[in-house]
Amino acid sequence: MSLQEQFGKDVLLTGWGHSRFGKLADETLESLIVHVATEAIANAGIEPGQIDEIYLGQFNSGMMPLAFPSSLALQVSPHLANVPATRVENACASGSAAFQQGTKSLLAGTAKTVLVIGAEKMTHAGAEVVGAGLLGADYDMAGKPSTTGFTGLFAEVAKHYGKRYGDANLGDVLGSIAAKNHRNGVDNPYAQLRKDLGEEFCRTVSDKNPMVADPLRRTDCSLVSDGAAAVVLSTSASNGAAAPVRLAGFGQANDFFPAARRDPVAFEATRVSWQRALTMAGVSLSDLDFAEVHDCFTIAELLMYEAMGLTGPGQGARAIEEGWVYKDGKLPVNVSGGLKAKGHPVGATGVSQHVISAMQLTGTAGDMQLANPRRAAVQNMGGVGIANYVSILEAV
């Protein structure tokens, strides 16, 4: 049973906007929000006055002084005056949290057209501020000093994985994931790092690719970024620049916050969010043509292969070694370059994943374009497998 069958109405992505990701010194949080919101509204073929509600995904966590940005989108047009606007925060999954809140407003009937925005300014803040802000998303390390930040947390995940399943070639597998995503990022005009680094470079510790937190090298880590993305959600099609995209199903699941209450490599709540989304959409993994997943670190993408059910536990390496997740594989993963190459302005990431997927499904992805994809999955995660969101999108 699809979302439409379950709720008796469609949720359609009818327009979208996307900024470049990177160190955007000439942009402010406000300018990024206004830019992508304006683009999304125009792309949807509607007027600003047709927007019923606005949801803004932003993490912030002390990375910038302005912590109350919900009304910034109203700067797009005086016709947005008095439109309800809400900031949504769920760590690095804030963008998808905003997307699901917008979806639920449509399903509840309180709105017919919703503007969802994800945005973040990070690069101005400095490494210590950003590191401390991100560690606020971890129960055990929040407020504590750390030389490796969130990289250290995922390095521990990688160590646990190696101990449980063997680490003889884990470094090479993670290097191959990094190289794949960097190669894909070359074709993404929004990506922060558009450079094909190659497998040898990504697999090797060097002066230009140092170990950040053993066993994770610099190329295993996503980038600190500025950027924004926006999407218009509606219960009916509009006269947009591209065909609409249907939300067929969605899922959310949260895990326990203390690390002691979680299996460090099972990512059980991530697995449940996938199951819930696929079940609502009435499809299986084999029905997907591609997926955009949360590769904040390469070990996260490896674990995602297992959490989604592409491989069994401890067998994620097969997906990369046998070519399943490359552009020409049976389930291309992170054709956009992922967080690894595209960048990770945390509040923007989930919305960006939906926008990039909508572009693929409407044949408007340019050099990133796959051959006639019809169904996709978006997976966004906050913390170390804590807040998990999955969307299943379909071409109309």
Side-chain angles (χ1 to χ4, degrees):
M1 179 180 289
S2 68
L3 180 152
Q4 199 280 336
E5 293 168 329
Q6 183 171 340
F7 293 97
K9 61 177 72 175
D10 266 328
V11 173
L12 301 174
L13 290 70
T14 58
W16 41 83
H18 203 298
S19 79
R20 187 170 62 86
F21 282 4
K23 188 173 183 178
L24 308 179
D26 295 333
E27 298 279 5
T28 64
L29 182 66
E30 180 178 338
S31 68
L32 286 166
I33 289 171
V34 170
H35 166 69
V36 297
T38 300
E39 185 179 353
I41 292 168
N43 186 261
I46 62 173
E47 297 297 326
Q50 294 175 256
I51 300 294
D52 298 315
E53 292 184 29
I54 299 169
Y55 287 97
L56 170 66
Q58 188 215 19
F59 181 35
N60 191 356
S61 191
M63 289 184 282
M64 65 176 300
L66 181 64
F68 182 45
S70 56
S71 282
L72 289 179
L74 274 58
Q75 302 294 83
V76 169
S77 168
H79 297 291
L80 287 175
N82 303 318
V83 171
T86 304
R87 172 179 174 249
V88 180
E89 188 282 311
N90 220 0
C92 297
S94 296
S96 285
F99 182 92
Q100 283 201 14
Q101 288 304 116
T103 295
K104 290 173 182 178
S105 287
L106 296 181
L107 296 178
T110 58
K112 293 183 178 179
T113 303
V114 175
L115 175 64
V116 177
I117 306 164
E120 208 77 63
K121 275 286 289 181
M122 302 172 70
T123 63
H124 65 285
E128 288 188 8
V129 173
V130 172
L134 295 176
L135 279 177
D138 186 74
Y139 179 89
D140 301 289
M141 289 301 298
K144 297 179 181 178
S146 173
T147 58
T148 56
F150 235 81
T151 308
L153 300 179
F154 274 88
E156 288 302 309
V157 171
K159 289 177 182 176
H160 281 291
Y161 189 92
K163 289 177 182 177
R164 185 172 302 180
Y165 299 117
D167 59 0
N169 68 335
L170 180 60
D172 285 350
V173 170
L174 299 182
S176 294
I177 292 172
K180 169 183 71 73
N181 291 348
H182 279 296
R183 173 62 191 88
N184 288 348
V186 172
D187 296 327
N188 184 352
Y190 305 116
Q192 182 170 354
L193 186 55
R194 301 180 66 187
K195 187 174 182 180
D196 185 358
L197 298 178
E199 286 206 357
E200 183 177 356
F201 180 85
C202 292
R203 288 178 167 188
T204 306
V205 176
S206 65
D207 290 342
K208 292 185 177 181
N209 189 26
M211 191 72 74
V212 179
D214 188 23
L216 302 183
R217 301 146 297 205
R218 180 178 291 165
T219 50
D220 293 306
C221 309
S222 60
L223 302 160
V224 173
S225 316
D226 307 325
V231 62
V232 174
L233 302 179
S234 183
T235 54
S236 59
S238 57
N239 188 30
V245 170
R246 177 179 291 111
L247 177 65
F250 62 89
Q252 179 191 357
N254 274 51
D255 212 333
F256 294 105
F257 209 5
R261 297 199 64 182
R262 306 189 310 270
D263 183 318
V265 300
F267 277 45
E268 183 57 34
T270 312
R271 187 185 308 276
V272 171
S273 66
W274 274 96
Q275 292 170 347
R276 287 174 176 168
L278 291 167
T279 297
M280 182 184 288
V283 300
S284 64
L285 200 68
S286 62
D287 295 313
L288 302 179
D289 294 307
F290 68 94
E292 287 288 323
V293 308
H294 193 96
D295 62 320
C296 51
F297 300 93
T298 51
I299 183 63
E301 180 167 329
L302 180 67
L303 285 168
M304 215 51 57
Y305 301 157
E306 301 175 14
M308 72 171 76
L310 187 59
T311 77
Q315 299 176 5
R318 289 189 63 197
I320 192 81
E321 291 172 345
E322 299 185 24
W324 301 348
V325 292
Y326 288 88
K327 276 187 175 181
D328 58 354
K330 66 179 183 180
L331 184 65
V333 172
N334 287 336
V335 175
S336 68
L339 287 59
K340 184 69 218 56
K342 183 178 61 175
H344 185 26
V346 289
T349 287
V351 182
S352 167
Q353 291 173 310
H354 285 85
V355 169
I356 295 292
S357 297
M359 293 171 65
Q360 284 283 359
L361 292 170
T362 55
T364 59
D367 290 341
M368 293 183 284
Q369 187 65 53
L370 295 168
N372 195 36
R374 304 299 297 170
R375 187 178 289 112
V378 167
Q379 182 271 329
N380 189 199
M381 178 174 68
V384 186
I386 304 298
N388 302 272
Y389 296 83
V390 175
S391 298
I392 308 298
L393 303 179
E394 295 178 343
V396 175

